[in-house]
């Protein structure tokens, strides 16, 4: 693999070669088949809540009231990006989940195209083809749009932001590209709040081409512009600065509490905070709005983690195994993610086996890069999947939360497949008799 391929002349970039078109056709076909083969899909878990909020937004034009704080008070537990996306679709075609899922299939295919172009520009065409081929057929990326999941929107938004900063490099440092990257990242953060952790690597990516501080500032400005309406709305609703909403405390307290630290089958399983006896008195109080409840939950969750460091380590280990489909109980480890993305139970085993093959290719790709002592590409790019996993693994185990890292892991799988192809075509290999 060439780690630092020379730029492709602009005249050759105008025509998309045949291979990417074929890969995109396969990617779209698989994603559409997933939707059409599961006409009886019903939103479960988080998708059911997204659907509820989307319906309310489409009908009333505003977020529904909180379900756990001051009765009838404002809510910001769910980031607004995906619910507003659902509301926009519902406004045009009515509440038709199949249409939403078909749009997600198209967005997923666009994500494959963006990934192909990013890898082509940062490495070479061969690696881009193999990476795109992996992303086209990888079950996690095929099925993520099979349900009403925020990740089906978040993944192409993150890839779009990465593509924009790479285009910034190739366009000689045009500020418009970093502004676009900032806006896309901001919308991504409004879709999944842990997307905010990706600001640092993208700021580095914006700075690298010209070593000028103005480029990361423009990217940051774009992100701030995208976040401002939601930040202002929350300030007016809660009288507090809450640009990412009221999700962090709810998530932390659900991960670190006495119910989760009980041992047995459900050790380290995330708990609804209102089901934890020590936290119950916080809910439904007319004197506490959602932001205040969230702040108290965050404080109590962090305090529990500090008092139980062994549980934090143990929970992180459990979550790591679950995130990568390595937990022995497939229902407990991956079942909710399968249900949320619409994967039929009859396919859980095949899905998991295919992911293990993918994981083996990822590990092989890492080993190849280390053994060859090659430049692995821009470090800011590899920081993205690492940060995505690190932002989740201490708190949550469902594999759905790992999916945004998969396009970047597909690059490593592409490295392994490229090397395997070269090995098989090597004239020095003896042919079987």
């Amino acid at each position: 693999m060439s780690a630092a391929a020379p730029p492709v002349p602009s005249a050759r970039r105008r025509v998309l070669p045949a291979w990417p078109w074929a890969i995109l056709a396969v990617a779209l076909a698989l994603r559409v088949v997933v939707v059409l083969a599961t006409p009886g899909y019903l939103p479960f878990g988080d998708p059911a809540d997204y659907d509820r909020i989307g319906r309310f937004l489409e009908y009333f034009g505003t977020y529904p009231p909180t379900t756990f704080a001051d009765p009838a008070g404002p809510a910001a537990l769910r980031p607004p990006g995906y619910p507003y996306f659902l509301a926009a679709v519902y406004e045009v075609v009515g509440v038709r989940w199949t249409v939403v899922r078909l749009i997600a299939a198209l967005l997923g295919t666009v994500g494959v195209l963006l990934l192909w172009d990013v890898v082509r520009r940062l490495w070479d065409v061969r690696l881009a083809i193999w990476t795109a081929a992996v992303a086209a057929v990888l079950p996690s990326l095929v099925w993520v749009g099979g349900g009403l999941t925020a990740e089906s929107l978040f993944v192409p938004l993150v890839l779009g932001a990465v593509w924009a900063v790479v285009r910034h490099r190739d366009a000689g440092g045009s500020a418009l590209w970093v502004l676009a990257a900032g806006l896309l990242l901001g919308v991504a953060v409004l879709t999944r709040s842990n997307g905010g952790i990706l600001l640092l690597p993208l700021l580095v990516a914006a700075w690298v081409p010209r070593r000028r501080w103005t480029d990361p500032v423009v990217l940051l400005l774009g992100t701030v512009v995208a976040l401002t309406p939601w930040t202002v709305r929350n300030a007016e609703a809660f009288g507090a600065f809450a640009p990412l909403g009221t999700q962090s405390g709810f998530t932390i307290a659900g991960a670190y509490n006495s119910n989760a630290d009980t041992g047995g089958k459900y050790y380290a399983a995330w708990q609804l905070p209102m089901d934890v006896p020590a936290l119950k008195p916080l809910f439904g109080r007319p004197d506490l709005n959602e932001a205040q409840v969230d702040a108290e939950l965050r404080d109590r969750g962090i305090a529990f983690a500090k008092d139980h460091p062994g549980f934090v380590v143990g929970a992180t280990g459990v979550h790591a195994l679950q995130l990568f489909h390595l937990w022995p109980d497939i229902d407990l480890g991956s079942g909710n993610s399968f249900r949320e993305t619409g994967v039929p139970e009859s396919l859980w085993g095949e899905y998991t086996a295919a992911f293990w093959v993918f994981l083996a290719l990822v590990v092989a790709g890492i080993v190849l890069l280390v053994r060859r002592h090659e430049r692995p590409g821009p470090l800011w790019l590899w920081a993205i999947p690492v940060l995505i996993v690190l932002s989740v693994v201490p708190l949550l185990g469902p594999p759905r939360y790992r999916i945004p890292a998969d396009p970047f892991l597909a690059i490593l799988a592409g490295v392994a497949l490229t090397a395997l192809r070269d090995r098989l075509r090597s004239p020095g290999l003896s042919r079987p008799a």
Side-chain angles (χ1 to χ4, degrees):
M1 182 188 72
S2 174
V8 180
S10 59
R12 293 175 58 190
R13 289 181 178 174
R14 294 172 186 165
V15 179
L16 199 62
W19 268 108
W21 285 118
I23 292 170
L24 293 175
V26 171
L28 180 60
L30 288 175
R31 286 155 176 79
V32 170
V33 166
V34 158
V35 174
L36 299 182
T38 53
Y41 166 80
L42 293 174
F44 168 88
D46 287 354
D49 203 34
Y50 287 129
D51 177 61
R52 175 186 67 87
I53 299 171
R55 290 170 183 254
F56 197 96
L57 280 167
E58 187 272 329
Y59 191 82
F60 293 103
T62 185
Y63 244 54
T66 180
T67 57
F68 66 84
D70 176 16
L77 178 65
R78 298 290 184 187
Y82 192 69
Y84 270 99
F85 166 74
L86 289 179
V89 176
Y90 294 168
E91 177 68 26
V92 175
V93 302
V95 181
R96 298 177 63 184
W97 299 327
T98 297
V99 174
V100 175
R101 297 162 72 210
L102 287 173
I103 294 173
L106 181 60
L107 290 174
T109 305
V110 171
V112 174
L113 174 61
L114 292 172
L115 181 61
W116 174 83
D117 199 43
V118 165
V119 176
R120 180 178 71 91
R121 291 172 182 276
L122 293 179
W123 283 277
D124 55 42
V125 173
R126 283 203 315 151
L127 180 57
I129 289 173
W130 284 107
T131 300
V134 171
V137 302
L138 185 64
S140 58
L141 295 178
V142 171
W143 279 97
V144 68
L148 306 187
T149 66
E151 287 77 14
S152 64
L153 181 60
F154 181 71
V155 170
L157 285 170
V158 170
L159 289 171
V162 171
W163 179 73
V165 293
V166 172
R167 290 299 307 268
H168 162 68
R169 182 200 71 162
D170 292 350
S174 170
L176 290 177
W177 285 114
V178 287
L179 179 62
L183 291 170
L184 287 166
L185 177 62
V187 179
V189 174
L190 292 174
T191 304
R192 285 216 60 89
S193 55
N194 67 325
I197 202 170
L198 305 182
L199 179 61
L200 180 58
L202 290 183
L203 287 175
V204 172
W207 176 78
V208 165
R210 298 195 298 175
R211 304 294 199 274
R212 290 175 56 175
W213 64 267
T214 52
D215 292 332
V217 166
V218 171
L219 188 146
L220 179 62
L221 176 63
T223 305
V224 170
V225 167
L227 293 175
T228 295
W230 185 240
T231 304
V232 171
R233 178 266 184 190
N234 290 341
E236 294 175 348
F238 303 115
F241 181 68
L244 302 182
T246 59
Q247 194 175 57
S248 61
F250 200 82
T251 304
I252 293 170
Y256 299 127
N257 58 73
S258 57
N259 283 19
D261 189 17
T262 54
K265 180 179 180 180
Y266 296 101
Y267 175 75
W270 192 86
Q271 309 287 321
L272 277 172
M274 52 276 288
D275 292 338
V276 179
L279 303 177
K280 272 187 177 181
L282 293 173
F283 296 101
R285 290 172 47 175
D287 60 325
L288 291 179
N289 65 33
E290 200 173 272
Q292 292 168 322
V293 174
D294 184 66
E296 184 65 28
L297 288 172
R298 182 167 52 250
D299 290 344
R300 295 197 186 189
I302 292 173
F304 186 92
K306 288 180 178 178
D307 292 340
H308 301 81
F311 173 68
V312 175
V313 174
T316 300
V318 170
H319 296 158
L321 293 174
Q322 292 174 340
L323 280 173
F324 290 94
H325 294 284
L326 297 173
W327 192 248
D329 187 331
I330 190 171
D331 191 4
L332 183 60
S334 308
N336 278 349
S337 286
F338 286 147
R339 295 182 186 98
E340 288 176 327
T341 54
V343 182
E345 190 169 353
S346 60
L347 296 178
W348 290 6
E350 289 80 358
Y351 182 119
T352 303
F355 183 81
W356 289 347
V357 173
F358 169 68
L359 195 58
L361 290 172
V362 170
V363 172
I366 295 173
V367 171
L368 283 168
L369 289 180
V370 172
R371 288 182 59 184
R372 292 175 177 177
H373 304 290
E374 293 183 0
R375 292 176 57 190
L379 295 181
W380 62 262
L381 183 79
W382 297 121
I384 292 174
V386 171
L387 290 174
I388 288 172
V389 172
L390 289 179
S391 70
V392 172
V393 70
L395 302 171
L396 299 162
R400 176 168 67 86
Y401 299 115
R402 184 217 66 249
I403 291 176
D406 286 358
F408 303 95
L409 300 181
I411 301 173
L412 293 168
V415 170
L417 289 171
T418 302
L420 177 61
R421 182 176 184 275
D422 290 345
R423 176 76 172 168
L424 292 175
R425 295 186 66 183
S426 173
L429 288 179
S430 60
R431 296 179 178 270

